[in-house]
Amino acid sequence: MRPSPPPLLPQMELGLTDTRPSRVTLSPGAVLLRGFALPESTELLDAILHLTALSPFRTMQTPGGGRMSVAMSNCGPLGWVTDRSGYRYTPTDPETLAAWPDMPPAWHALAARAAKAAGFDNFSPNACLINRYEPHTRMALHQDKDEGDFSQPIVSVSLGLPIAFLWGGLKRSTAPHSILLEHGDVLVWGGKARLHYHGVKPLADGIHPLTGRARFNLTFRFVAPRS
DNA sequence: AAGTATCT
DNA sequence: TAAT
């Protein structure tokens, strides 16, 4: 039997027209895993709705008296908060006065799998910041440095509308590179990259089939227990 | 301060 | 570009 000839443009017949690499290194220790969370993205969005029914999204105050444009909540043993007195991790939601909702086991497992795929074994996050971006909201360049222990990586899961992510260096003066983060992408940074500055440009308006006019971001961290 | 204003 |  003569084998049938390969189809022309097989990637189009499969609907796989995106030829970008699935794995991108931004700098040593920073790896973008494109589409890593796609298979469970609808479950992640369902869980976000459930968790934020318990600890609702809110915009937090910055120490200078400003207010963040991105709405936040948390799950897990510790949650990141900011108010006039500063940045810190707390075991309870200052709005509800109750413990932050439990981190879903599937979330912990996803974060650990992504970290391992990026070269960081044994990641065990005890904090997950849940961010909701609406059109025009942004996050200025900053370092994640409130965790007390920088031996474990940061794992960031993007859902919904795409956004331009800014990846800087160890000093604020280093000009950041911009890279598009899309639904299902997971970005992991640790080791030499753990304290790199990062942020996002203002969210461009749009409609995502699963989230509408919004982007959600899950940021997993290990926070050292306070003495 | 993960914001903003004000400086160059 | 500082600075907290």
Side-chain angles (χ1 to χ4, degrees):
Chain A
M1 293 277 286
R2 192 178 69 82
S4 56
L8 294 174
L9 302 175
Q11 74 281 17
M12 282 187 66
E13 294 188 1
L14 291 168
L16 304 175
T17 53
D18 188 347
T19 56
R20 296 174 310 156
S22 62
R23 181 194 185 89
V24 178
T25 299
L26 304 185
S27 74
V31 182
L32 170 58
L33 305 168
R34 284 207 176 101
F36 190 90
L38 257 183
E40 51 218 298
S41 59
T42 58
E43 288 83 358
L44 291 170
L45 290 165
D46 286 345
I48 290 171
L49 292 180
H50 176 248
L51 294 167
T52 57
L54 302 173
S55 270
F57 283 114
R58 83 294 305 265
T59 59
M60 298 181 186
Q61 286 187 314
T62 52
R67 186 167 285 272
M68 302 191 70
S69 60
V70 176
M72 298 176 162
S73 186
N74 289 279
C75 67
L78 293 169
W80 186 85
V81 299
T82 173
D83 61 19
R84 255 159 297 202
S85 62
Y87 301 156
R88 62 198 176 281
Y89 284 88
T90 65
T92 56
D93 180 344
E95 294 292 321
T96 66
L97 305 181
W100 296 107
D102 288 341
M103 187 186 302
W107 288 26
H108 187 284
L110 167 65
R113 269 194 297 121
K116 185 163 193 168
F120 300 96
D121 287 343
N122 305 118
F123 179 46
S124 185
N126 60 357
C128 178
L129 179 60
I130 307 170
N131 291 154
R132 184 188 65 202
Y133 291 79
E134 290 178 331
H136 314 306
T137 66
R138 52 163 286 150
M139 182 124 9
L141 218 57
H142 68 279
Q143 295 171 298
D144 290 18
K145 59 179 184 183
D146 304 313
E147 293 74 30
D149 181 337
F150 307 125
S151 67
Q152 297 205 35
I154 304 284
V155 173
S156 170
V157 178
S158 293
L159 297 165
L161 287 176
I163 203 164
F165 180 79
L166 299 169
W167 182 246
L170 289 173
K171 297 183 302 181
R172 172 160 271 157
S173 54
T174 301
H177 295 281
S178 180
I179 186 164
L180 194 68
L181 297 183
E182 298 181 288
H183 179 72
D185 288 353
V186 179
L187 182 58
V188 181
W189 66 95
K192 297 176 58 170
R194 176 60 180 75
L195 289 171
H196 275 228
Y197 279 89
H198 57 281
V200 296
K201 290 183 180 173
L203 184 72
D205 203 349
I207 307 282
H208 188 276
L210 296 182
T211 65
R213 295 182 15 140
R215 169 185 187 255
F216 296 93
N217 171 252
L218 309 176
T219 306
F220 296 90
R221 293 133 178 193
F222 173 74
V223 181
R226 287 239 288 166
S227 58

